Coordinates of all heavy atoms in Angstrom, one line a residue:
M286 N 91.7 106.3 94.0 CA 91.6 105.0 93.3 C 90.6 104.2 94.0 O 90.6 104.0 95.2 CB 93.0 104.4 93.3 CG 93.0 103.0 92.6 SD 92.6 103.0 90.9 CE 94.2 102.8 90.2
A287 N 89.7 103.6 93.3 CA 88.7 102.8 93.8 C 89.2 101.4 94.2 O 90.2 100.9 93.7 CB 87.6 102.6 92.8
S288 N 88.6 100.7 95.1 CA 89.0 99.4 95.6 C 88.4 98.4 94.6 O 87.6 98.7 93.8 CB 88.4 99.2 97.0 OG 87.0 99.0 97.0
R289 N 88.8 97.1 94.8 CA 88.3 96.0 94.0 C 86.8 95.9 94.1 O 86.1 95.8 93.1 CB 88.9 94.7 94.4 CG 90.2 94.4 93.9 CD 90.6 93.0 94.3 NE 91.9 92.6 93.7 CZ 92.4 91.4 93.9 NH1 91.8 90.5 94.6 NH2 93.5 91.1 93.3
E290 N 86.3 96.0 95.3 CA 84.9 95.9 95.5 C 84.1 97.1 94.9 O 83.1 96.9 94.3 CB 84.5 95.8 97.0 CG 83.1 95.5 97.3 CD 82.6 94.2 96.8 OE1 83.5 93.2 96.7 OE2 81.4 94.0 96.5
Q291 N 84.7 98.2 94.9 CA 84.1 99.4 94.3 C 84.1 99.2 92.8 O 83.1 99.5 92.1 CB 84.8 100.7 94.7 CG 84.5 101.1 96.1 CD 85.3 102.3 96.5 OE1 86.5 102.4 96.2 NE2 84.7 103.3 97.1
F292 N 85.2 98.7 92.2 CA 85.2 98.4 90.8 C 84.1 97.5 90.3 O 83.5 97.6 89.3 CB 86.6 97.9 90.3 CG 87.6 98.9 90.1 CD1 88.9 98.6 90.4 CD2 87.3 100.2 89.7 CE1 89.9 99.6 90.2 CE2 88.3 101.1 89.5 CZ 89.6 100.8 89.7
R293 N 83.8 96.5 91.2 CA 82.7 95.5 90.8 C 81.4 96.2 90.9 O 80.6 96.0 90.0 CB 82.8 94.3 91.8 CG 83.9 93.4 91.6 CD 83.7 92.1 92.4 NE 82.5 91.4 92.0 CZ 81.9 90.6 92.8 NH1 82.3 90.3 94.0 NH2 80.8 90.0 92.4
K294 N 81.2 97.0 91.9 CA 79.9 97.7 92.1 C 79.7 98.7 91.0 O 78.6 98.9 90.4 CB 79.8 98.3 93.4 CG 79.6 97.3 94.5 CD 79.5 98.0 95.9 CE 79.3 96.9 97.0 NZ 79.3 97.5 98.3
I295 N 80.7 99.4 90.6 CA 80.7 100.4 89.5 C 80.2 99.7 88.2 O 79.3 100.2 87.5 CB 82.0 101.1 89.3 CG1 82.3 102.0 90.5 CG2 82.0 102.0 88.1 CD1 83.7 102.5 90.6
A296 N 80.8 98.6 87.9 CA 80.5 97.9 86.7 C 79.0 97.5 86.7 O 78.3 97.5 85.6 CB 81.4 96.6 86.5
L297 N 78.5 97.1 87.8 CA 77.0 96.7 87.9 C 76.1 97.9 87.7 O 75.1 97.8 87.1 CB 76.7 96.1 89.3 CG 77.4 94.8 89.6 CD1 77.2 94.4 91.0 CD2 77.0 93.7 88.6
Y298 N 76.5 99.1 88.1 CA 75.7 100.3 88.0 C 76.0 101.1 86.7 O 75.2 102.0 86.4 CB 75.9 101.2 89.2 CG 75.2 100.7 90.5 CD1 75.8 99.8 91.3 CD2 73.9 101.2 90.8 CE1 75.2 99.3 92.4 CE2 73.3 100.7 91.9 CZ 73.9 99.8 92.7 OH 73.3 99.4 93.9
C299 N 77.1 100.9 86.1 CA 77.5 101.8 85.0 C 76.8 101.3 83.7 O 76.8 100.2 83.3 CB 79.0 101.6 84.7 SG 79.6 102.7 83.4
D300 N 76.1 102.3 83.1 CA 75.4 102.0 81.8 C 76.3 101.8 80.6 O 75.9 101.2 79.6 CB 74.4 103.2 81.5 CG 73.3 103.3 82.5 OD1 72.9 102.3 83.1 OD2 72.8 104.4 82.6
E301 N 77.5 102.2 80.8 CA 78.5 102.1 79.7 C 79.4 100.9 79.8 O 80.3 100.7 79.0 CB 79.3 103.4 79.5 CG 78.5 104.6 79.2 CD 77.8 104.5 77.8 OE1 78.4 103.9 76.9 OE2 76.7 105.0 77.7
Y302 N 79.3 100.1 80.8 CA 80.1 98.9 81.0 C 80.0 98.0 79.9 O 78.9 97.5 79.5 CB 79.8 98.2 82.3 CG 80.6 96.9 82.5 CD1 81.9 96.9 82.9 CD2 80.0 95.7 82.2 CE1 82.6 95.7 83.0 CE2 80.7 94.5 82.3 CZ 82.0 94.5 82.7 OH 82.7 93.4 82.8
R303 N 81.2 97.7 79.2 CA 81.2 96.7 78.1 C 82.4 95.8 78.4 O 83.6 96.3 78.4 CB 81.4 97.4 76.8 CG 80.3 98.5 76.4 CD 79.0 97.8 76.2 NE 78.0 98.8 75.7 CZ 77.2 99.5 76.6 NH1 77.3 99.3 77.9 NH2 76.3 100.3 76.1
P304 N 82.2 94.6 78.7 CA 83.4 93.7 78.9 C 84.3 93.5 77.7 O 83.9 93.4 76.6 CB 82.8 92.4 79.4 CG 81.4 92.4 78.8 CD 81.0 93.8 78.7
K305 N 85.6 93.5 78.0 CA 86.6 93.1 77.0 C 86.5 91.7 76.7 O 86.3 90.9 77.6 CB 88.0 93.4 77.5 CG 88.3 94.8 77.7 CD 89.8 94.9 78.3 CE 90.1 96.3 78.8 NZ 91.4 96.3 79.5
V306 N 86.6 91.3 75.5 CA 86.5 89.9 75.2 C 87.7 89.5 74.3 O 87.9 90.1 73.2 CB 85.2 89.5 74.4 CG1 85.2 88.0 74.0 CG2 84.0 89.8 75.3
N307 N 88.5 88.6 74.7 CA 89.6 88.1 73.9 C 90.0 86.7 74.4 O 89.6 86.3 75.4 CB 90.8 89.1 73.9 CG 91.4 89.3 75.3 OD1 91.5 88.3 76.1 ND2 91.8 90.5 75.6
D308 N 90.8 86.1 73.6 CA 91.1 84.7 73.9 C 91.9 84.6 75.2 O 91.8 83.6 76.0 CB 92.0 84.1 72.8 CG 91.1 83.9 71.5 OD1 89.9 83.8 71.6 OD2 91.7 83.9 70.4
R309 N 92.8 85.5 75.5 CA 93.6 85.5 76.7 C 92.7 85.4 78.0 O 93.0 84.7 78.9 CB 94.5 86.7 76.8 CG 95.5 86.6 77.9 CD 96.2 88.0 78.1 NE 96.6 88.1 79.5 CZ 95.9 88.6 80.4 NH1 94.7 89.0 80.2 NH2 96.3 88.8 81.7
Q310 N 91.7 86.2 78.0 CA 90.8 86.2 79.2 C 90.1 84.9 79.4 O 89.7 84.6 80.5 CB 89.8 87.4 79.1 CG 90.4 88.7 79.4 CD 89.4 89.8 79.4 OE1 88.3 89.7 78.8 NE2 89.7 90.9 80.1
M311 N 89.8 84.2 78.3 CA 89.1 83.0 78.4 C 90.0 81.9 79.1 O 89.5 81.0 79.7 CB 88.8 82.4 77.0 CG 87.8 83.3 76.2 SD 86.3 83.4 77.1 CE 85.4 84.4 75.9
L312 N 91.3 82.1 79.0 CA 92.2 81.1 79.6 C 92.7 81.4 81.0 O 93.2 80.5 81.7 CB 93.5 81.0 78.7 CG 93.3 80.6 77.2 CD1 94.6 80.7 76.5 CD2 92.7 79.2 77.2
T313 N 92.5 82.6 81.4 CA 93.0 83.0 82.8 C 91.8 83.0 83.8 O 90.7 82.9 83.4 CB 93.6 84.4 82.8 OG1 92.6 85.3 82.4 CG2 94.8 84.5 81.9
S314 N 92.2 82.9 85.0 CA 91.2 82.9 86.1 C 91.4 83.9 87.2 O 91.2 83.6 88.3 CB 91.1 81.5 86.6 OG 92.3 81.1 87.2
S315 N 91.9 85.0 86.8 CA 92.2 86.0 87.8 C 90.9 86.7 88.3 O 89.9 86.5 87.7 CB 93.2 87.1 87.3 OG 92.5 87.9 86.4
Y316 N 91.0 87.4 89.4 CA 89.9 88.1 90.0 C 89.2 89.0 88.9 O 88.0 89.0 88.8 CB 90.3 88.9 91.2 CG 89.2 89.7 91.8 CD1 88.4 89.2 92.8 CD2 89.0 91.0 91.4 CE1 87.4 89.9 93.4 CE2 88.0 91.8 91.9 CZ 87.2 91.2 92.9 OH 86.2 92.0 93.5
E317 N 90.0 89.7 88.2 CA 89.5 90.7 87.3 C 88.7 90.0 86.1 O 87.8 90.6 85.5 CB 90.6 91.6 86.7 CG 91.1 92.6 87.7 CD 92.0 92.1 88.7 OE1 92.5 90.9 88.6 OE2 92.2 92.8 89.7
D318 N 89.1 88.8 85.8 CA 88.5 88.1 84.7 C 87.2 87.4 85.1 O 86.3 87.2 84.2 CB 89.5 87.1 84.1 CG 90.7 87.7 83.4 OD1 90.6 88.9 83.0 OD2 91.7 87.0 83.3
K319 N 87.1 87.0 86.3 CA 85.9 86.3 86.8 C 84.7 87.1 87.0 O 83.6 86.6 86.8 CB 86.2 85.6 88.1 CG 87.1 84.4 88.0 CD 87.3 83.8 89.4 CE 88.2 82.6 89.4 NZ 88.3 82.0 90.7
Y320 N 84.8 88.4 87.4 CA 83.7 89.2 87.7 C 83.6 90.5 86.9 O 84.6 91.0 86.4 CB 83.8 89.6 89.2 CG 83.9 88.5 90.1 CD1 85.1 88.1 90.7 CD2 82.8 87.7 90.5 CE1 85.2 87.0 91.6 CE2 82.9 86.7 91.3 CZ 84.1 86.3 91.9 OH 84.2 85.2 92.7
E321 N 82.4 91.0 86.7 CA 82.3 92.3 86.1 C 82.9 93.3 86.9 O 82.7 93.3 88.1 CB 80.8 92.6 85.9 CG 80.0 91.8 84.9 CD 78.6 92.3 84.8 OE1 78.1 93.1 85.6 OE2 78.0 91.9 83.8
N322 N 83.8 94.1 86.4 CA 84.4 95.2 87.1 C 85.1 96.1 86.1 O 85.3 95.8 84.9 CB 85.4 94.7 88.2 CG 86.7 94.0 87.6 OD1 87.5 94.8 87.1 ND2 86.7 92.7 87.6
C323 N 85.4 97.3 86.6 CA 86.0 98.3 85.7 C 87.2 97.8 84.9 O 87.4 98.2 83.8 CB 86.3 99.6 86.5 SG 84.9 100.4 87.1
T324 N 88.1 97.1 85.6 CA 89.3 96.7 85.0 C 89.2 95.8 83.8 O 90.1 95.6 83.0 CB 90.3 96.1 86.0 OG1 89.7 94.9 86.6 CG2 90.6 97.1 87.1
N325 N 88.0 95.1 83.6 CA 87.8 94.3 82.4 C 86.8 95.0 81.4 O 86.3 94.3 80.6 CB 87.5 92.9 82.7 CG 86.2 92.7 83.4 OD1 85.3 93.5 83.4 ND2 86.0 91.5 83.9
C326 N 86.6 96.3 81.6 CA 85.7 97.0 80.7 C 86.5 97.5 79.5 O 87.7 97.9 79.7 CB 85.1 98.2 81.4 SG 84.1 99.2 80.4
K327 N 85.9 97.5 78.3 CA 86.7 98.0 77.2 C 87.0 99.5 77.3 O 87.9 100.0 76.5 CB 86.0 97.7 75.9 CG 84.7 98.5 75.6 CD 84.1 98.2 74.3 CE 83.1 99.2 73.8 NZ 82.7 98.9 72.5
H328 N 86.4 100.3 78.1 CA 86.6 101.7 78.3 C 87.7 102.0 79.3 O 88.1 103.1 79.6 CB 85.4 102.4 78.7 CG 84.3 102.3 77.7 ND1 83.1 101.7 78.0 CD2 84.2 102.6 76.4 CE1 82.3 101.7 77.0 NE2 82.9 102.2 76.0
Y329 N 88.3 100.9 80.0 CA 89.3 101.1 81.0 C 90.6 100.8 80.5 O 90.9 99.7 80.0 CB 88.9 100.2 82.2 CG 89.7 100.4 83.4 CD1 89.4 101.4 84.3 CD2 90.9 99.6 83.7 CE1 90.2 101.6 85.5 CE2 91.6 99.8 84.8 CZ 91.3 100.8 85.7 OH 92.0 101.0 86.8
S330 N 91.5 101.7 80.6 CA 92.9 101.4 80.2 C 93.8 102.5 80.9 O 93.4 103.5 81.3 CB 93.1 101.5 78.7 OG 92.9 102.8 78.2
D331 N 95.1 102.1 81.1 CA 96.1 103.0 81.8 C 95.6 103.4 83.1 O 95.7 104.5 83.6 CB 96.4 104.2 80.9 CG 97.0 103.9 79.6 OD1 97.8 102.9 79.5 OD2 96.7 104.6 78.6
S332 N 94.9 102.5 83.8 CA 94.4 102.6 85.2 C 93.4 103.7 85.3 O 93.2 104.4 86.4 CB 95.6 103.0 86.2 OG 96.5 101.9 86.2
K333 N 92.6 103.9 84.3 CA 91.5 104.9 84.4 C 90.4 104.6 83.3 O 90.7 103.9 82.3 CB 92.0 106.3 84.2 CG 92.6 106.6 82.9 CD 93.1 108.0 82.8 CE 93.8 108.3 81.4 NZ 94.3 109.6 81.4
C334 N 89.3 105.1 83.6 CA 88.1 105.0 82.7 C 88.3 106.1 81.6 O 88.4 107.3 81.9 CB 86.8 105.2 83.4 SG 85.3 105.2 82.4
K335 N 88.3 105.7 80.3 CA 88.4 106.6 79.2 C 87.2 107.5 79.1 O 87.3 108.6 78.6 CB 88.6 105.9 77.9 CG 90.0 105.2 77.8 CD 90.2 104.7 76.4 CE 89.8 103.2 76.3 NZ 90.0 102.6 75.0
L336 N 86.1 107.1 79.7 CA 84.9 107.9 79.7 C 84.7 108.8 80.9 O 83.7 109.5 81.1 CB 83.6 107.0 79.5 CG 83.6 106.1 78.2 CD1 82.4 105.3 78.2 CD2 83.7 107.0 77.0
D337 N 85.7 108.6 81.8 CA 85.7 109.4 83.1 C 84.4 109.2 83.9 O 83.8 110.1 84.4 CB 85.9 110.9 82.8 CG 86.4 111.6 84.0 OD1 87.0 111.0 84.9 OD2 86.1 112.8 84.1
L338 N 84.0 107.9 84.0 CA 82.7 107.6 84.7 C 82.8 107.1 86.1 O 81.9 107.0 86.8 CB 81.9 106.6 83.9 CG 81.5 107.1 82.5 CD1 80.8 106.0 81.7 CD2 80.5 108.3 82.7
I339 N 84.0 106.7 86.5 CA 84.2 106.1 87.9 C 83.7 107.0 89.0 O 82.8 106.6 89.8 CB 85.6 105.7 88.1 CG1 86.0 104.5 87.2 CG2 85.9 105.3 89.5 CD1 87.4 104.1 87.2
D340 N 84.1 108.2 89.0 CA 83.7 109.1 90.1 C 82.2 109.4 90.0 O 81.5 109.6 91.0 CB 84.5 110.4 90.1 CG 85.9 110.2 90.5 OD1 86.2 109.3 91.3 OD2 86.8 111.0 90.2
K341 N 81.7 109.6 88.8 CA 80.3 109.9 88.6 C 79.4 108.7 89.1 O 78.4 108.9 89.7 CB 80.0 110.2 87.1 CG 80.6 111.4 86.6 CD 80.5 111.6 85.1 CE 81.2 112.9 84.7 NZ 81.3 113.0 83.3
V342 N 79.8 107.5 88.8 CA 79.0 106.3 89.2 C 79.1 106.2 90.7 O 78.1 105.9 91.4 CB 79.4 105.1 88.5 CG1 78.7 103.8 89.0 CG2 79.2 105.2 87.0
L343 N 80.3 106.4 91.3 CA 80.5 106.3 92.7 C 79.6 107.3 93.4 O 79.0 107.0 94.4 CB 81.9 106.5 93.1 CG 82.8 105.3 93.0 CD1 84.3 105.6 93.3 CD2 82.4 104.1 93.9
S344 N 79.6 108.5 92.9 CA 78.7 109.6 93.5 C 77.3 109.2 93.4 O 76.5 109.4 94.4 CB 79.0 110.9 92.8 OG 80.3 111.4 93.0
S345 N 76.9 108.7 92.3 CA 75.5 108.3 92.1 C 75.1 107.2 93.1 O 74.0 107.2 93.7 CB 75.2 107.8 90.7 OG 73.9 107.3 90.5
M346 N 76.0 106.2 93.3 CA 75.8 105.1 94.3 C 75.7 105.7 95.7 O 74.8 105.2 96.5 CB 76.9 104.1 94.1 CG 76.9 103.3 92.9 SD 78.4 102.3 92.6 CE 78.7 101.5 94.1
S347 N 76.5 106.6 96.0 CA 76.5 107.2 97.3 C 75.2 108.0 97.6 O 74.7 107.9 98.7 CB 77.7 108.2 97.5 OG 77.7 108.8 98.7
M348 N 74.8 108.7 96.6 CA 73.5 109.4 96.8 C 72.3 108.5 97.0 O 71.4 108.7 97.8 CB 73.3 110.4 95.6 CG 74.2 111.5 95.6 SD 73.9 112.6 94.2 CE 72.3 113.3 94.7
E349 N 72.4 107.4 96.2 CA 71.3 106.4 96.3 C 71.3 105.8 97.7 O 70.2 105.6 98.3 CB 71.5 105.3 95.3 CG 70.4 104.2 95.3 CD 70.6 103.2 94.2 OE1 70.7 103.6 93.0 OE2 70.7 102.0 94.5
Q350 N 72.5 105.5 98.3 CA 72.6 105.0 99.7 C 72.0 106.0 100.7 O 71.4 105.6 101.7 CB 74.0 104.7 100.0 CG 74.5 103.4 99.4 CD 73.8 102.2 99.9 OE1 72.9 102.2 100.6 NE2 74.3 101.0 99.4
N351 N 72.3 107.3 100.5 CA 71.8 108.3 101.3 C 70.2 108.4 101.3 O 69.6 108.6 102.4 CB 72.3 109.7 101.0 CG 73.8 109.8 101.3 OD1 74.3 109.1 102.2 ND2 74.5 110.7 100.7
F352 N 69.6 108.2 100.2 CA 68.2 108.2 100.1 C 67.5 107.0 100.8 O 66.5 107.1 101.4 CB 67.7 108.2 98.7 CG 67.9 109.5 98.0 CD1 68.6 109.5 96.7 CD2 67.5 110.7 98.5 CE1 68.8 110.7 96.1 CE2 67.7 111.9 97.9 CZ 68.3 111.9 96.7
K353 N 68.3 105.9 100.9 CA 67.8 104.7 101.5 C 67.9 104.7 103.0 O 67.2 104.0 103.7 CB 68.5 103.4 101.0 CG 68.2 103.1 99.6 CD 69.0 101.8 99.1 CE 68.6 101.5 97.7 NZ 69.4 100.3 97.3
S354 N 68.8 105.6 103.5 CA 69.0 105.7 105.0 C 67.9 106.4 105.7 O 67.2 107.2 105.2 CB 70.3 106.4 105.3 OG 71.4 105.8 104.7

């Protein structure tokens, strides 16, 4: 399971990230609602990405970091 910070970074790098938009989110101010992250993506439900992209994006981010080192 990815951490909160990883969920934020994944959302920034994921080409399929689409934020959920509904009235309830406009009224709340939780961590998940304030920032782009997997948990507020329309493809995320039941504690997983329906497109199965979390591991793929994390791997891509890791490889990118290796190239910069």
Side-chain angles (χ1 to χ4, degrees):
M286 176 66 103
S288 69
R289 277 187 176 182
E290 189 61 30
Q291 286 174 318
F292 278 149
R293 285 190 63 205
K294 289 180 181 177
I295 292 167
L297 295 173
Y298 284 87
C299 183
D300 293 333
E301 296 298 323
Y302 173 76
R303 304 290 183 272
K305 294 177 192 173
V306 178
N307 63 39
D308 293 335
R309 184 188 153 279
Q310 285 185 337
M311 299 295 183
L312 299 174
T313 61
S314 60
S315 70
Y316 176 88
E317 286 78 16
D318 294 337
K319 286 184 181 178
Y320 303 104
E321 288 183 345
N322 69 75
C323 292
T324 59
N325 68 15
C326 176
K327 73 177 193 174
H328 301 120
Y329 189 86
S330 66
D331 300 323
S332 299
K333 63 182 179 182
C334 175
K335 291 189 261 179
L336 303 178
D337 197 27
L338 295 175
I339 291 174
D340 289 335
K341 292 174 187 172
V342 174
L343 280 174
S344 293
S345 176
M346 289 168 47
S347 177
M348 289 182 70
E349 185 177 302
Q350 287 293 7
N351 289 337
F352 288 130
K353 290 181 181 180
S354 301

